[in-house]
Amino acid sequence: MRSLWLFLLAVFALALAGCGGGGNSLPQLPVFTPGSVSSAERYAAYDEIEAFFETVRGQPDATAQVVAKMKTMPQFATAEVATSGQAVGWFKDGQMYVVFTVDEDGTTPAGHRQAQPLPKSRDLPAGTMAYVIDAFEPARQDAGSVIGPELAAKGYNVQLLSGTVNDYMSIQNAALLVIHAHGILHTDKFRTPAFWYATSETPTSDHDDLYQSYWDKGEIAVASADTIQADGSTGHARFYIVSNLFLHDVGITFAQNAFWMSQSCTSYNPVMVKSVLDPAVGFHGVATYAGWTLTELTADSTPTTEFVIDRLLGLNQVEPVDPGNPPPYDIATLTSHIGTTNRPGRNYQYDASQGPDGTSEFKIKTATGSDAPTIIPSVTSANLNAGTHTLTIGGHFGKPQGSVTLNGDFLNVQSWSETSIKVDQPTATSGTLLVRSLGGPSEDGYLLSNSYPYESLGIEIQAPNTSVDPSSSETLTVVAISGTIPSGVSYKWAVTGLGTVNGSNQTTTTTPSVTYKAPSQDSSDVISVQVVDSHQTVLAVAQIGIDTAANPSLHLVISGNWDSLTEGIVGTYNFTPGNGIRTTISGLDYIFLEYDPFQSGSGTGYGVTFTLGMPIGQAVTQGEVFTSAPSNQTTGSGQFKLLLDTDLNDPASGGNFNPQGSGTLTITSVQQQQDGSYLAHFSFSMTSDVGGGTITGSGVGTWR
């Protein structure tokens, strides 16, 4: 692998020619002598250089002065300006020491070791581990406290790390990696191009010995930089830095389709892009890498990190809030919007920072062959097919099947693909739709989608009356009771019964109204309608019943055992005509509906009588329900009683009895007729208190 880097070194040297940070092409490093610098000599050199930097800080040529100072000191073999602009000294034993003065961009090739090519996939990250590293001092603004809870709420197992050497070594199966740290672009002691992350760990001689193998391979070094104190003053800190080659060497791993973002100066450069994404030498699993081209200001880069995570999670909370409340951005949408969305209070966008060495750009790169859309499941649409009683959800969900909830209730999944899920039609017509899914096998759990506001199209048919005179006409109109009826839909009408709509038992219209014509005889019609789009998908269905009756009638079914008086009464009966009256008795209004099968006019006179109690003057309404009055009690308000003849085949010869049981009577329609009387349709059912008998039926009654 070193031979590859030797080949690339010539390209690296040419790229530095004329570059503001590196000056001329890099000279060959001297031959280093292991063991030639003691730990005490090295730490004395750190102290001397840091003290010297205090005297030149802020001067235009501070970097050059620090380099010159190092060259005069006996511990150093040579010194130079880093590719990204810092002062770099090489100790006689080959260890590197960096003083952060200013970071500038360089253009270098990169790579380290072999890895498997990334397969083309639209899956989500195949895991839920999210590592957020903040290697800066606490006084510097960091996004971890904001994005950590946001990621956890979406199902990520979030590890907030302080950025020690061990923290960098601990990264395993990362689905998301965010690093906020100093960055430096320069070669190692073998002149292998490398990018270095600062840690938060202060060097000690003991730890120097612990990391000896990485010193020998040139993958770890020491740097010093200014710090921001809690009171706003400037201090100084010394810390280890680790290279991209170190990260390869210690074996950090990523879940398939992982996202890696660097909030570090000069972190978007060919070294890192190649080291992370190149299928031949990159980190296997990383689908997307992002970073900054030059020195970026924390006041800019931290809001950018928050914007990126906010939009990828579909939260839409970072200003300026998108009024369209979009679903989670895919990588392409993020790349587009971050370059067109202005920062609040700034005259530049979220992909830029006005640093000390010019405009630093935040850039995003996706691995060749990868098409991972976003970092959580993304619900972009939900369309109900009322004809097939299914709900189709569109978006990006990953291959392995997860689950779907509406208002917390799980929906039965019929089919699942990366971009479409079909579930059973939910009972609820509106609420919060949520998808739980995962891009690949994992024991860590599920990622949660954006909370999608679902509202199905609910409709009803409005009619002036649902109980009409024979041969009369009614205008029926479809109206939305939830959602909005889209433009361009059609209405498919059908009638079950003897009536018609627009002159036929079936018709299709482009307007929501039709004319219903009642038949000339008694009938109970059911009119149904489907709202369909241009693809013939049924968006919603509704139906309404309309009764046509010229005379009162009653359909009665008696079964089971009631008592000895009704041993011969079991059977099915159809009675017509009948009489009805409404009258006031003892502080209540009562409606009496009486039915006589033979109109005998003798004996008891009627076979069946219903008594309905209600407040004085209260109107009877469609849908009103009466419950059966307890036995041996007067019928109360909102109650009904049923009186039967003991011989329904010849009411004139039998006696009367009141069935003992529980039940309901429901008014299915009611209207006032032209002569001032009222005509109502109703249904009823009763169950015997003993013996398991039932009485059911429906009827038409009239009263004045």
Side-chain angles (χ1 to χ4, degrees):
M1 182 50 63
R2 290 295 178 187
S3 62
L4 171 63
W5 286 110
L6 291 174
F7 170 76
L8 294 174
L9 182 57
V11 181
F12 178 72
L14 287 174
L16 294 176
C19 183
N24 297 322
S25 60
L26 291 173
Q28 184 175 353
L29 290 172
V31 176
F32 299 120
T33 304
S36 59
V37 180
S38 69
S39 177
E41 290 172 330
R42 195 183 321 279
Y43 277 83
Y46 295 154
D47 292 338
E48 184 175 347
I49 291 298
E50 289 169 8
F52 176 78
F53 180 61
E54 290 291 331
T55 68
V56 299
R57 178 190 287 110
Q59 298 180 19
D61 61 345
T63 303
Q65 292 189 63
V66 173
V67 169
K69 171 66 176 175
M70 290 176 176
K71 288 181 177 180
T72 67
M73 296 173 63
Q75 299 97 324
F76 290 98
T78 189
E80 60 195 11
V81 177
T83 311
S84 50
Q86 298 85 358
V88 176
W90 297 101
F91 286 100
K92 289 181 178 180
D93 61 357
Q95 291 191 23
M96 184 174 74
Y97 173 55
V98 178
V99 177
F100 277 83
T101 53
V102 64
D103 290 326
E104 294 180 0
D105 188 29
T107 304
T108 59
H112 184 54
R113 68 179 185 181
Q114 296 293 325
Q116 297 299 315
L118 294 174
K120 184 175 178 63
S121 172
R122 292 187 61 85
D123 267 356
L124 304 173
T128 60
M129 290 299 301
Y131 295 88
V132 181
I133 294 178
D134 175 26
F136 279 106
E137 61 275 16
R140 196 183 299 259
Q141 181 184 3
D142 178 65
S145 61
V146 173
I147 67 174
E150 292 174 343
L151 291 164
K154 289 299 181 182
Y156 276 95
N157 181 357
V158 180
Q159 300 292 313
L160 297 177
L161 304 176
S162 63
T164 64
V165 174
N166 281 334
D167 285 342
Y168 284 97
M169 298 170 67
S170 70
I171 300 168
Q172 294 293 305
N173 198 35
L176 177 68
L177 173 61
V178 179
I179 299 177
H180 183 204
H182 283 299
I184 175 175
L185 182 65
H186 199 53
T187 71
D188 62 14
K189 66 181 181 181
F190 302 105
R191 278 302 192 221
T192 302
F195 177 78
W196 307 73
Y197 283 117
T199 74
S200 60
E201 185 174 340
T202 302
T204 66
S205 58
D206 289 341
H207 282 183
D208 288 350
D209 295 339
L210 182 64
Y211 303 141
Q212 187 60 52
S213 64
Y214 305 113
W215 291 112
D216 294 341
K217 289 180 283 190
E219 298 172 354
I220 193 169
V222 171
S224 61
D226 288 337
T227 60
I228 302 174
Q229 305 303 312
D231 61 1
S233 62
T234 301
H236 213 69
R238 188 183 303 162
F239 43 81
Y240 291 113
I241 58 176
V242 294
S243 72
N244 60 297
L245 307 177
F246 171 91
L247 300 181
H248 275 290
D249 198 21
V250 299
I252 72 172
T253 62
F254 291 86
Q256 190 68 28
N257 296 309
F259 180 61
W260 181 342
M261 181 167 62
S262 296
Q263 189 183 336
S264 304
C265 298
T266 68
S267 54
Y268 189 91
N269 56 72
V271 170
M272 280 300 287
V273 171
K274 185 177 182 67
S275 178
V276 172
L277 297 180
D278 191 299
V281 296
F283 287 87
H284 179 61
V286 182
T288 306
Y289 177 75
W292 292 89
T293 58
L294 298 175
T295 304
E296 91 315 315
L297 302 178
T298 299
D300 288 335
S301 61
T302 292
T304 295
T305 299
E306 294 174 358
F307 178 90
V308 168
I309 299 302
D310 175 86
R311 293 309 196 258
L312 288 177
L313 295 182
L315 302 177
N316 195 34
Q317 296 173 354
V318 173
E319 297 291 342
V321 173
D322 190 328
N325 194 29
Y329 283 0
D330 56 30
I331 300 303
T333 303
L334 172 66
T335 303
S336 172
H337 282 235
I338 202 171
T340 57
T341 304
N342 282 337
R343 301 172 180 274
R346 299 282 199 274
N347 61 355
Y348 49 94
Q349 290 73 44
Y350 272 105
D351 70 338
S353 175
Q354 302 301 330
D357 47 355
T359 300
S360 181
E361 297 179 78
F362 182 79
K363 291 193 172 183
I364 304 171
K365 177 74 172 178
T366 300
T368 302
S370 176
D371 195 20
T374 186
I375 64 173
I376 62 169
S378 175
V379 179
T380 59
S381 63
N383 297 306
L384 178 69
N385 188 328
T388 59
H389 304 291
T390 57
L391 179 67
T392 300
I393 305 166
H396 299 292
F397 312 111
K399 291 178 181 177
Q401 180 173 321
S403 60
V404 181
T405 61
L406 180 61
N407 300 331
D409 295 328
F410 286 89
L411 305 180
N412 180 55
V413 176
Q414 295 187 11
S415 63
W416 183 292
S417 74
E418 292 179 58
T419 57
S420 181
I421 302 171
K422 184 178 288 187
V423 298
D424 290 350
Q425 179 178 346
T427 302
T429 59
S430 63
T432 300
L433 192 66
L434 192 68
V435 172
R436 291 171 168 83
S437 62
L438 197 63
S442 172
E443 297 179 357
D444 294 330
Y446 290 96
L447 298 174
L448 306 183
S449 74
N450 52 314
S451 298
Y452 186 82
Y454 167 72
E455 184 175 31
S456 66
L457 175 61
I459 62 172
E460 68 177 11
I461 303 172
Q462 291 187 344
N465 298 290
T466 56
S467 182
V468 300
D469 294 332
S471 302
S472 63
S473 297
E474 297 274 306
T475 298
L476 309 182
T477 303
V478 175
V479 296
I481 55 175
S482 65
T484 303
I485 299 177
S487 60
V489 299
S490 298
Y491 302 85
K492 292 186 174 182
W493 298 84
V495 179
T496 301
L498 303 178
T500 62
V501 285
N502 287 3
S504 176
N505 63 351
Q506 292 185 355
T507 188
T508 299
T509 65
T510 57
T511 59
S513 296
V514 291
T515 300
Y516 167 77
K517 180 67 177 295
S520 59
Q521 54 186 300
D522 289 359
S523 179
S524 292
D525 294 345
V526 176
I527 300 93
S528 61
V529 65
Q530 297 180 341
V531 178
V532 298
D533 63 14
S534 58
H535 302 290
Q536 297 305 299
T537 299
V538 181
L539 306 181
V541 297
Q543 68 178 30
I544 191 173
I546 297 183
D547 296 318
T548 304
N551 298 294
S553 60
L554 179 67
H555 175 71
L556 188 67
V557 178
I558 303 174
S559 63
N561 181 41
W562 285 86
D563 58 33
S564 59
L565 294 175
T566 59
E567 290 179 356
I569 204 172
V570 171
T572 299
Y573 304 91
N574 290 288
F575 296 169
T576 186
N579 293 313
I581 190 173
R582 178 168 182 160
T583 186
T584 301
I585 304 174
S586 301
L588 285 179
D589 275 3
Y590 292 94
I591 294 176
F592 297 96
L593 302 177
E594 301 172 321
Y595 299 89
D596 177 5
F598 300 112
Q599 304 181 63
S600 61
S602 61
T604 59
Y606 296 97
V608 181
T609 301
F610 290 92
T611 303
L612 285 63
M614 66 201 66
I616 296 174
Q618 177 177 294
V620 178
T621 59
Q622 181 177 335
E624 188 170 356
V625 178
F626 297 83
T627 60
S628 58
S631 60
N632 302 319
Q633 292 186 19
T634 303
T635 305
S637 179
Q639 296 179 336
F640 82 96
K641 274 196 175 182
L642 174 62
L643 186 66
L644 297 176
D645 196 282
T646 55
D647 185 355
L648 290 177
N649 293 310
D650 186 6
S653 63
N656 296 321
F657 87 103
N658 175 215
Q660 305 298 302
S662 59
T664 58
L665 182 149
T666 302
I667 305 295
T668 56
S669 67
V670 62
Q671 70 174 117
Q672 189 171 17
Q673 302 185 100
Q674 294 180 354
D675 63 359
S677 64
Y678 291 88
L679 185 141
H681 288 72
F682 61 92
S683 61
F684 62 93
S685 65
M686 289 189 67
T687 302
S688 174
D689 288 341
V690 293
T694 61
I695 304 175
T696 61
S698 60
V700 178
T702 184
W703 68 86
R704 292 183 180 274

